[in-house]
Amino acid sequence: MDERLEQALAVSKALETHQNQKNILHKQYKDNLIYYFDGQKISVDLSLIAYCTTKTMPIVIIDDNKTPVLIDDIEEFTKKITAMYETASRKYFMEFKKIKSKRSVKELIDL
Amino acid sequence: MTQGVLLFAYNSKNMDYTKQAIYCAKLIKQHLGKEVALVTDDESYLNRQYPFYKKYIDHVIITGHEDAVQERVYNDGLYHSDKQRWYNTNRSSCFELSPFDETIVIDTDVLIFNDELNRCFGSAEDFLISKDYNFVDMKRDYSEFDKVSETTCDMFWATAFYFKKTEFTSIFFDLIEHIKENWHFYRLVYEIAPVKFRNDYAFSIAIHMLRGMKDATWPLRVPTAIWVTVDKDILHAIDDTKLTLLLHKDYDYQLSAISDATVHVMNKFSLERCIDKVFEDE
């Protein structure tokens, strides 16, 4: 095989592996942003955190399963989802950083 | 309320489900910290081959498998396959067999590397089941597995589910038993091409019937992401909580790794090779 083509194919393989690892990390990040409590499933994002931050009285939110949930202690709830968001984002950042600079398949998988 | 995980393991000629179950139980102890019950038909094999099993398995329930012969082709990557018998038609008996009030039932080839399944316990729901899988090869399209058949109902996976012993779940598992007994009728009604009985199909049909043949939010999903690698992929190594895999492409493999996840490894040959390495230290 032409050496230039061979090199290009090796790079393409590394990029494909790189992309798949990035996709796995992103999916795991999205899963880590789901807050489960008392059988409820709530996807946390910045708009939910911002909304909760402005509230002082109990609120009702609709969870991912279309179930209404009464949040009695809004302060505690906001604290928990904010911490969860920060932990998940930080973990995603750290994991992403690990693979970002790696160029070979071997380095990517850390064999 | 007692809580635990129930596993089924009936060995076939070249497939040691008992070995898989013991490894699965080891991971359950490590990450979920729950009791494990094993349903199997050969206690003497367990004692002889894996004398250390009591470290990981708390209850052994001896019961024979049904005689119905099921055969399927198992791949070991792209270049090897083997036709094997399998016995896994009595999953609907889990209601009677489970020694726990709250039970998670999982396949023995599901590897657990986090504690997320513990969220099932104490749930307000009587029954939770897995539906949406994530392929470790994220380019693979899940949509073809979304339905039992093109024109019928949603597909659910009996690979991982949770139940409480209640009147409702008793009705549910009785219905699965009825579907099993009348399998050829139901498979025609639901336009299922394969003749073989499969738990996934029976569970999906029962769910469809119980929710009035309509879409509904019931049943809720098991509260964890379940990742899957197909049997043409190869599990290369298990290192602490990291799995290294070779994902199959048309005529080649792509290296991949996943950590801290719950992963359904469908290449049982490569899984057993990796377990053998882990069990060298037992």
Side-chain angles (χ1 to χ4, degrees), chain B residues 182-202:
Chain B
N182 299 281
W183 173 238
H184 293 293
F185 169 75
Y186 281 101
R187 89 174 175 82
L188 291 174
V189 171
Y190 281 85
E191 298 176 1
I192 295 166
V195 177
K196 284 178 294 194
F197 173 82
R198 252 180 69 183
N199 290 305
D200 303 319
Y201 289 139

Side-chain angles (χ1 to χ4, degrees), chain A residues 13 16-17 20-21 23-24 27-28 31-32 36 38-39 65-66 91 105 109-111, chain B residues 119 134 136 138-139 220 223 225 227 242 244 247 249 252-257 259-260:
Chain A
K13 205 167 189 175
E16 200 185 348
T17 307
N20 196 57
Q21 290 308 113
N23 291 345
I24 290 173
K27 181 68 181 65
Q28 288 189 310
D31 291 334
N32 288 337
Y36 293 92
D38 291 346
N65 298 314
K66 302 177 191 167
K91 187 178 177 197
V105 171
I109 309 300
D110 198 19
L111 281 175
Chain B
R119 293 167 181 156
N134 304 311
V136 178
M138 293 208 66
K139 277 195 180 151
L220 299 187
W227 293 80
K242 183 176 120 181
T244 308
L247 307 177
K249 300 291 154 186
D252 199 2
Y253 293 104
Q254 178 191 325
L255 204 55
S256 183
S259 303
D260 308 325

Side-chain angles (χ1 to χ4, degrees), chain B:
Chain B
M1 293 276 266
T2 54
Q3 300 172 335
V5 181
L6 185 71
L7 305 172
F8 287 81
Y10 296 115
N11 286 354
S12 60
K13 199 173 139 206
N14 294 318
M15 201 63 80
D16 193 343
Y17 288 98
T18 309
K19 182 200 295 179
Q20 292 175 28
I22 296 167
Y23 181 61
C24 184
K26 181 184 165 99
L27 295 177
I28 291 164
K29 287 283 178 202
Q30 202 175 331
H31 296 283
L32 303 182
K34 295 292 175 192
E35 287 193 11
V36 180
L38 173 68
V39 180
T40 186
D41 60 341
D42 193 349
E43 195 171 14
S44 62
Y45 179 77
L46 194 58
N47 283 311
R48 197 174 59 244
Q49 205 67 24
Y50 305 105
F52 56 88
Y53 82 88
K54 285 183 181 155
K55 281 198 280 184
Y56 310 119
I57 291 172
D58 307 279
H59 310 268
V60 177
I61 301 155
I62 302 296
T63 173
H65 54 73
E66 290 168 5
D67 289 332
V69 175
Q70 304 268 44
E71 280 189 331
R72 58 168 276 205
V73 173
Y74 291 84
N75 291 301
D76 182 6
L78 282 170
Y79 304 111
H80 177 254
S81 63
D82 195 11
K83 201 171 192 180
Q84 299 260 343
R85 287 189 174 188
W86 61 286
Y87 310 97
N88 192 18
T89 57
N90 65 344
R91 188 158 287 210
S92 49
S93 317
C94 59
F95 189 93
E96 287 80 34
L97 294 173
S98 174
F100 312 114
D101 299 319
E102 289 183 76
T103 307
I104 291 174
V105 181
I106 54 169
D107 281 1
T108 55
D109 52 3
V110 173
L111 307 184
I112 296 169
F113 292 105
N114 59 43
D115 63 354
E116 291 175 4
L117 274 171
N118 271 341
R119 293 167 181 156
C120 292
F121 298 113
S123 165
E125 298 291 314
D126 291 354
F127 178 72
L128 303 165
I129 190 165
S130 50
K131 164 129 185 66
D132 305 309
Y133 271 178
N134 304 311
F135 286 112
V136 178
D137 181 356
M138 293 208 66
K139 277 195 180 151
R140 202 159 285 161
D141 184 16
Y142 179 79
S143 59
E144 64 176 296
F145 302 103
D146 209 28
K147 297 268 176 194
V148 163
S149 60
E150 267 178 36
T151 51
T152 58
C153 60
D154 286 344
M155 183 77 168
F156 290 85
W157 301 98
T159 305
F161 61 91
Y162 158 90
F163 70 95
K164 278 181 204 154
K165 285 190 177 178
T166 63
E167 197 184 338
F168 174 78
T169 52
S170 169
I171 292 169
F172 176 70
F173 290 113
D174 284 347
L175 178 59
I176 293 172
E177 197 62 32
H178 161 80
I179 292 166
K180 193 169 77 183
E181 285 167 16
N182 299 281
W183 173 238
H184 293 293
F185 169 75
Y186 281 101
R187 89 174 175 82
L188 291 174
V189 171
Y190 281 85
E191 298 176 1
I192 295 166
V195 177
K196 284 178 294 194
F197 173 82
R198 252 180 69 183
N199 290 305
D200 303 319
Y201 289 139
F203 274 63
S204 304
I205 292 169
I207 288 166
H208 185 242
M209 290 170 74
L210 278 186
R211 59 191 197 183
M213 325 282 184
K214 290 187 174 68
D215 280 345
T217 50
W218 180 85
L220 299 187
R221 315 298 185 253
V222 164
T224 184
I226 296 184
W227 293 80
V228 63
T229 76
V230 297
D231 62 357
K232 286 187 176 172
D233 301 335
I234 294 175
L235 178 61
H236 173 71
I238 304 172
D239 180 16
D240 195 16
T241 64
K242 183 176 120 181
L243 299 183
T244 308
L245 297 139
L246 294 165
L247 307 177
H248 88 273
K249 300 291 154 186
D250 288 342
Y251 300 102
D252 199 2
Y253 293 104
Q254 178 191 325
L255 204 55
S256 183
I258 185 162
S259 303
D260 308 325
T262 301
V263 186
H264 187 194
V265 179
M266 296 184 79
N267 182 338
K268 294 164 191 11
F269 299 101
S270 65
L271 173 61
E272 291 203 357
R273 288 193 292 270
C274 288
I275 296 173
D276 284 341
K277 282 186 199 158
V278 176
F279 280 0
E280 281 171 7
D281 300 329
E282 291 290 348

